[in-house]
Structure formats: structure tokens, C-alpha cells
Amino acid sequence: MRDFWGALPTEGRWLLSTVAINTFGRGLTLPFTVIYLHEVRGFDLGFAGLLMSLIAAVGLVVTGPAGALTDRFGARNVLLVGLASMIAGCVLLAFAEHPAVATLAIVLIGVNFGTSWPAQNALIAAVVDGELRQQYFGVNFALVNLGIGVGGIVGGLFVNVDEPMTFTLIFLGDALTCLVPIALLLGPLRHVRTHATAHGHDDDSRGQHGGYRALLREPAVRWITLLSFVAVFVGYGQFEAGFPAYARGVAEVSTQVVGFAFAINTAVIVLLQFTVLARIAGHRRTRVLLVMAAVWAGSWLVLGTSGLLPGSLAAAIGVLAFTGVFAFGETLMQPTIPAIVNDLADDRNRGRANAVNAGAFQGGAIAGPIVAGLLLDHGLEGAYIGLMAIGCLAVGVLALALERRLPAAANGVPAVRNAAVSERPPVE
């Protein structure tokens, strides 16, 4: 960690030092938003669930334009707009007593989700490069989990459905934490440039009309996009929906076990991420994804065994083991895919490249719960676990296919990447 911190430029240290603070605010509210909408504001549970899905839907719609705007006006400006939208959404939601007000608040929060991914990743890529970039994405992921995890614990201890003001305060707290990155963007990071220089106007103009089409004509971009979609479909798309449904309905474990399983997931990520980063340094990123696919396949098989002894101690152990093994796979995935995406891009299309990858993630996160719900609702637990295992196998196949089309520098081959960096023109 000392070596990593010492290698970071000043802007990178500023950017990384506030990640946990900002995500602490999301942790305060994320686990309790549905409870707040239903039990505190009295909205129908179906309507509350619809509002939660609206965040992802709005984010998916906004991601494409946000990527183009990032390339045109810079990540800093797009992030400022997204953060302002987040603050407005949280403040509105804190006092939302009418469904229309709650809907508007959720839309504003969704706008931030759609803009933050491509702009934030473009900003990171502008600050760090090469092997340091891969390490940065991994450390950033660990800090995000740490902030959300601590925020969730604090929120759980603080909120009370019999005292609506406690929920109002956590949403206002979420809004306040957004002021920290705003201060950074207006202060120490105000000079960071993420978009093409003035002499690239012709490329930018062409990019506004055909940028996404041109990007998707690149074979490596298409393969990493497909791999991301399938990985999220069998990963995050199940972790917040299919996994808890299987744990409760098939393995028949208590809600306390499910809650503890999520805590184990966060702890494993925070504790293992630095070790994993040291182990994967210098290795082909596609091979790291291949290992991740095998680890996730193993985690789903472990969860499947928990359903063979429902309601037992063995079932509880299987559920807890699943989240721990799954978390190990996450520590392999999160430093790798963003590094590939940003090494394939340049300043003219970095925002759009991250937007395409964000769209793949969001698409997998939307499709995953739908498929899980259909299979588990019809009692097809075995088919569900089998599909997840096959999906992990598909991720491994896609990683090998991507390796044949991925430039060596983007695949983390040290010698080639260093040569590519040394050949870059100096920054003016």
C-alpha cells in the first residue's frame, strides 16, 4: 500500500482519499430506501419496488449521452452535473410525502448513477496509467465497499421506522457527502483534463455522430462488452436478487444469515483486494478473468449444495461460504475489466468507451433478476444453479476469445505496455 500510495500523482491521492466518505452516504440510504418508501411514507410495496428499478432504468438511458458529453466537455463538468442531481434527489426524497415527488427524486438520483460511471472512470484513467491504473481500480473498489458497508451498519443502527425523521436525516447525510467530491472537482482536480485537445475538433465532431458506431466496430470492444454483460448477469445481477431469493426460499436460511452473508462479502473484498492486486500484477488480464470465472462457478455450486439440506446448519454455512468465494472473484474482476476498457480507449472516446461498458453492466444487472425470478418462481432451483454455472463457463470462453483480439498492452503484458507508454508523445 505504501508503494502504491507513493507512486500515485497528487491528483490520484486526492481522488482516492475521499472515495470511502462519498460512498458512506450511499451506504446510509441504499439498504433502507425501499423500507423508507413503503413503511415510512406509506407507498404501496409494488410502487416502491418500481421506483427502485427506475434508478437503474434512468441510469441506463442517461449513460450513453453522458459518455458522449464526457468526451466533449470533460469528466469534471459531467460529474459536477451528476453530483448536483444527486444532491437534489436526496433532499427531495428526504421530504417526499407524495408519489410524484418521490418519482422525481428517484429520477434525479438515476441521472447521477448514469453519469457517474463513464465520467468517474474517465477521470481515473486521466490521472493514472499502466499497471498503476489497474491497481487503482482495485483499491477504489475496496474503498467503495468499505464506505457502503460502514454506512449500512451506521444507518441500520440509526434509523427507526417509528421515527420518520431518522430517515430524513440519512438522506440529507447522503446529500452532504456529495459536497466532498464537488469540493475536490472545484479545487485540487480542477485542472485535470479528460477530453481531447483543441486540435482534435474534427475527431470530436465526427464522434458526435458516429462515435459509438465506430467504437463498437472494434472487435476487442465488442468482446469485452459481451463479457461484461454475461459476467454481471451471473454475478451482480444475481447477488442482490437471485442469491437472497434462493437463500431464503430454497436453502431456507434466516434473514440474519442473509444479512451476515452480505457482511462477509464486504469484509472479504476489503481484506483481500490488496493481496489480489499484488498477485495479479504483470499477468494477462484475460487469464485473471478466466480464474474469476472458475471461482464464481465454484461459488454457485457451493450455493447449490446449500439447497440440498434446507433449513440446516450446513445450508447456512453454504450460504455464507458462497458470498465469501464470490467476493474473491469480485476482487479479480473489478481491477481488470475497467483497466482493459480504458487501455483500449484514448482521450477522444474514453467517456463513450466507459459508457458502453457501463451499459453492459446495467443490462446484466437488469436481466439477471428477471431470469432469476422466473426460474425460482417456477421451482426450477436446479436449472437456476446450472444456468449460473454455465454462464460462468461462458465468461471463461469469452475471456479466451477476447485474448485473441486484445492488444497486448491492454491485456496487461508489462513489456509491451511499457513500450507503448514510452512511445507516447509528451503531454503539453
Side-chain angles (χ1 to χ4, degrees):
M1 183 60 185
R2 285 194 300 269
D3 293 340
F4 168 73
W5 186 258
L8 282 178
T10 302
E11 294 84 356
R13 296 179 186 178
W14 276 112
L15 192 59
L16 196 63
S17 62
T18 59
V19 169
I21 298 173
N22 189 30
T23 55
F24 173 80
R26 290 304 301 141
L28 281 176
T29 59
L30 189 62
F32 311 109
T33 303
V34 169
I35 297 173
Y36 167 72
L37 293 171
H38 178 54
E39 297 188 34
V40 176
R41 294 308 181 189
F43 299 151
D44 178 79
L45 187 58
F47 178 69
L50 181 64
L51 286 180
M52 293 302 295
S53 66
L54 186 61
I55 296 177
V58 172
L60 183 59
V61 170
V62 170
T63 294
L69 290 172
T70 296
D71 291 334
R72 182 68 178 87
F73 298 106
R76 175 177 168 274
N77 294 323
V78 174
L79 280 172
L80 286 171
V81 171
L83 289 165
S85 179
M86 184 68 179
I87 291 173
C90 287
V91 172
L92 276 177
L93 197 57
F95 301 99
E97 297 183 356
H98 192 278
V101 177
T103 302
L104 176 59
I106 290 296
V107 168
L108 290 170
I109 292 172
V111 168
N112 175 65
F113 274 65
T115 58
S116 61
W117 189 320
Q120 182 73 16
N121 279 4
L123 186 65
I124 291 172
V127 171
V128 292
D129 201 353
E131 192 68 41
L132 195 63
R133 180 183 290 168
Q134 176 172 288
Q135 294 173 349
Y136 190 103
F137 279 119
V139 175
N140 183 78
F141 176 63
L143 291 176
V144 165
N145 277 272
L146 179 63
I148 291 177
V150 173
I153 293 171
V154 173
L157 295 173
F158 180 73
V159 295
N160 186 339
V161 293
D162 296 323
E163 298 181 21
M165 182 55 66
T166 59
F167 285 87
T168 297
L169 290 175
I170 64 169
F171 282 104
L172 292 179
D174 194 359
L176 283 174
T177 59
C178 293
L179 296 177
V180 175
I182 287 178
L184 280 180
L185 293 169
L186 294 177
L189 301 181
R190 66 185 182 278
H191 298 305
V192 176
R193 180 183 60 81
T194 60
H195 52 299
T197 54
H199 61 72
H201 282 318
D202 291 340
D203 290 331
D204 286 344
S205 175
R206 180 187 63 190
Q208 296 302 311
H209 300 286
Y212 280 111
R213 290 194 297 272
L215 194 64
L216 291 171
R217 280 198 292 268
E218 296 293 331
V221 172
R222 292 199 301 270
W223 283 98
I224 189 63
T225 301
L226 180 59
L227 186 152
S228 297
F229 173 83
V230 177
V232 174
F233 176 82
V234 300
Y236 296 114
Q238 308 300 329
F239 195 67
E240 296 182 4
F243 157 64
Y246 187 94
R248 288 286 294 143
V250 182
E252 298 181 8
V253 300
S254 67
T255 54
Q256 288 81 5
V257 170
V258 174
F260 192 46
F262 277 91
I264 287 177
N265 178 263
T266 299
V268 169
I269 290 170
V270 173
L271 293 173
L272 282 188
Q273 187 67 83
F274 294 103
T275 301
V276 169
L277 285 171
R279 295 287 185 177
I280 67 176
H283 292 280
R284 294 180 184 271
R285 291 164 180 164
T286 47
R287 303 298 170 89
V288 175
L289 291 173
L290 195 63
V291 174
M292 179 213 75
V295 169
W296 274 4
S299 72
W300 283 112
L301 294 177
V302 168
L303 183 65
T305 61
S306 70
L308 301 178
L309 298 169
S312 66
L313 176 62
I317 293 173
V319 168
L320 297 176
F322 164 78
T323 57
V325 178
F326 184 88
F328 174 46
E330 290 180 81
T331 64
L332 295 167
M333 174 184 177
Q334 287 297 335
T336 307
I337 290 181
I340 291 174
V341 170
N342 282 280
D343 281 355
L344 284 172
D346 57 35
D347 287 345
R348 294 171 299 175
N349 63 7
R350 196 177 305 283
R352 280 165 285 191
N354 281 290
V356 168
N357 194 247
F361 266 69
Q362 291 161 342
I366 292 171
I370 294 173
V371 173
L374 289 173
L375 291 175
L376 295 176
D377 189 49
H378 287 82
L380 301 174
E381 305 88 32
Y384 172 69
I385 295 295
L387 178 62
M388 295 304 106
I390 292 172
C392 293
L393 177 62
V395 171
V397 173
L398 289 170
L400 293 176
L402 172 65
E403 184 173 300
R404 294 194 295 270
R405 297 162 177 85
L406 192 63
N411 202 13
V413 180
V416 179
R417 183 174 60 248
N418 292 339
V421 170
S422 65
E423 291 172 3
R424 290 182 182 175
V427 177
E428 298 180 358

